[in-house]
Amino acid sequence: MSAKPVGASATAPPDPFAIVRTRGYTGLLVVAALLGVPISAVAFGFLALTHELQSLTYSDLPRALGFHSTPTWWAVPLLVVAGLLVGLTIRYLPGTGGHKPAEGMKTTGAPTAVELPGIVIAALASLGIGAVLGPEAPLIALGGGLAVWTVRLVKRDIEPNASAVVGAAGSFAAVSALLGSPLLGAFLLMEASGLGGAVLGMVLVPGLLASGVGSLIFVGLGSWTGLGTYSLALHHVPRADEPDLAQFGWAVVVGLAAAVVGEGIRRLSLFLQARVERRTVVGTVLMGLVVGVLALAYAETTGNAASGVLYSGQNALDPLLAGSAGYTVGTLLVLIVCKGLAYCASLSCFRGGPVFPAMFVGAAGGIALSHLPGLHVTSGFAMGIGAMCVAMLRLPMTSVLLATLLLGSPGLTVMPLVIVSVVVAYVVSLRLAPEPDGLPDGQGAVA
């Protein structure tokens, strides 16, 4: 009988990947692939319905009422109606309409089946009528909730760990094509969940499989219906200059500016949220009025369409970059102020995701700074997106990828600049953030 080395454990450490070799895990992969088909189809339908609501409320309805074009004040009454619908949904339906966007990009598990109607109604009323939020958070909740609900119809006694993997796979499938690449959606969910090690691998593999299947379904449905995939994309990206010392200096400036602006937006939105929640319906109506008035102010001040302030900004990024030469610095500053304040008001009470408005505000800021010497417009655009995203989301890897993969080959050129701006914005944002309650000094956000 051989002696054990001194200090050796009596039992071998557990194999973290043992579950991957089981038949049950193989079954989970099959379930993830199968769920990717219907859930991505539902997500596509949700995005198509949101787009149709936007066209109906801001194009078809004014014409039906006898207007030759959409009046600049049109958003004001519509956003009041949207606030009423969202406020009533949050107040009276289960689930409070889903994730509160002012609290950042968080994944808290799949919602229950009874909460899904409220999430869908609140998101459609918010996104379809012009709130400054994106569809990513409702899609994540919808995909995860539908996946878990579907599996429990077949197997009621599903284990909690298996249920969590299934829910994550559903979320992966739902956002698979939204950000332009299944990989970006995967990174977003990975960082937002905070998983790591073997647990991350076990969740990530079924998620990637569902995401790949979902992306194919998005492409197929987009081609079959002629509606497109509703994916984030840029079609007119100017060639980027090679990074130099001046542009690295601008990367630090952009990171610092985004951290200050992002922290201001976060604090103001949380301040407003606390007051709106005292009287949810009335408060949400008032915030809808604020968003509408800000869109009106931008239209009247600049002569541009009020839609520049409304919506998430996802579809406006491409024309913003392509037409950047036609924007004066003054117009861009008015746009940033109005969009940023409308973003705050929307975060405080409406339901949607915080990603796309952060990208738009950062892009507009980067383009405004590119009017100064030493900063190329493509570099400023990319650095602004990355820095503002990390300031709002606290997801550094996702922020770098969003700002670079979106640009195609010019994104590789500007990637070093984006990394510097993201790191600066991330560190400064955490320094500016208030200390969490209950922690001693020095053990706050950057402990």
Side-chain angles (χ1 to χ4, degrees):
M1 184 175 178
S2 59
K4 294 183 181 295
V6 177
S9 174
T11 59
D15 181 1
F17 299 103
I19 189 174
V20 177
R21 293 187 285 269
T22 64
R23 183 175 299 176
Y25 190 76
T26 303
L28 275 179
L29 293 177
V30 174
V31 169
L34 293 175
L35 286 174
V37 176
I39 288 176
S40 58
V42 170
F44 183 91
F46 174 85
L47 293 173
L49 182 55
T50 300
H51 183 267
E52 289 303 312
L53 281 174
Q54 292 173 355
S55 298
L56 174 66
T57 51
Y58 284 92
S59 297
D60 298 341
L61 186 56
R63 285 199 299 268
L65 294 176
F67 294 99
H68 296 294
S69 61
T70 305
T72 56
W73 51 262
W74 188 255
V76 177
L78 280 187
L79 266 299
V80 169
V81 172
L84 179 62
L85 292 174
V86 174
L88 290 173
T89 300
I90 293 172
R91 177 70 176 81
Y92 294 107
L93 291 185
T96 64
H99 159 260
K100 298 177 182 179
E103 297 176 5
M105 198 70 205
K106 299 190 300 185
T107 57
T108 56
T112 62
V114 74
E115 294 173 339
L116 291 178
I119 291 173
V120 172
I121 293 170
L124 287 175
S126 298
L127 307 179
I129 311 183
V132 186
L133 295 170
E136 64 280 0
L139 283 178
I140 290 170
L142 184 61
L146 284 176
V148 173
W149 175 72
T150 301
V151 171
R152 283 181 176 164
L153 287 178
V154 179
K155 185 177 176 60
R156 292 186 175 274
D157 59 341
I158 183 173
E159 296 180 357
N161 288 341
S163 178
V165 172
V166 167
S171 296
F172 273 67
V175 298
S176 58
L178 181 65
L179 299 175
S181 165
L183 187 62
L184 271 174
F187 269 101
L188 175 67
L189 289 168
M190 263 177 9
E191 278 199 292
S193 66
L195 296 177
V199 175
L200 172 60
M202 286 184 288
V203 175
L204 182 60
V205 172
L208 285 175
L209 180 59
S211 183
V213 172
S215 184
L216 290 174
I217 298 300
F218 264 81
V219 172
L221 287 174
S223 176
W224 177 58
T225 61
L227 297 175
T229 60
Y230 302 105
S231 297
L232 178 64
L234 296 178
H235 304 98
H236 308 283
V237 180
R239 184 187 63 83
D241 292 340
E242 291 294 330
D244 54 23
L245 186 60
Q247 293 201 76
F248 274 106
W250 275 115
V252 175
V253 172
V254 170
L256 289 171
V260 174
V261 173
E263 186 60 25
I265 291 174
R266 285 170 58 87
R267 292 196 184 197
L268 180 56
S269 62
L270 289 170
F271 174 85
L272 293 173
Q273 176 181 279
R275 277 131 190 93
V276 166
E277 289 179 344
R278 295 174 185 173
R279 299 188 65 183
T280 300
V281 178
V282 174
T284 309
V285 169
L286 288 175
M287 290 300 101
L289 176 63
V290 168
V291 175
V293 169
L294 286 166
L296 172 62
Y298 171 72
E300 291 293 330
T301 303
T302 65
N304 294 332
S307 58
V309 169
L310 302 174
Y311 310 125
S312 68
Q314 174 187 355
N315 296 326
L317 279 171
D318 192 31
L320 177 68
L321 179 58
S324 58
Y327 285 87
T328 66
V329 174
T331 298
L332 287 169
L333 291 177
V334 173
L335 176 60
I336 292 167
V337 171
C338 291
K339 186 84 170 183
L341 291 175
Y343 186 23
C344 290
S346 299
L347 285 169
S348 71
C349 58
F350 286 99
R351 292 297 184 258
V355 175
F356 292 120
M359 293 179 69
F360 186 89
V361 172
I367 292 174
L369 289 174
S370 72
H371 284 78
L372 298 174
L375 180 60
H376 188 268
V377 64
T378 303
S379 302
F381 180 86
M383 289 189 292
I385 288 176
M388 185 56 69
C389 280
V390 81
M392 292 301 301
L393 308 177
R394 304 292 200 263
L395 307 177
M397 181 65 75
T398 300
S399 299
V400 170
L401 293 176
L402 277 171
T404 54
L405 294 184
L406 178 63
L407 300 180
S409 57
L412 297 176
T413 303
V414 302
M415 184 177 282
L417 301 173
V418 172
I419 291 173
V420 172
S421 66
V422 166
V423 170
V424 171
Y426 183 62
V427 173
V428 176
S429 293
L430 294 180
R431 290 291 184 185
L432 293 176
E435 294 282 344
D437 293 337
L439 289 179
D441 292 343
Q443 296 186 20
V446 293

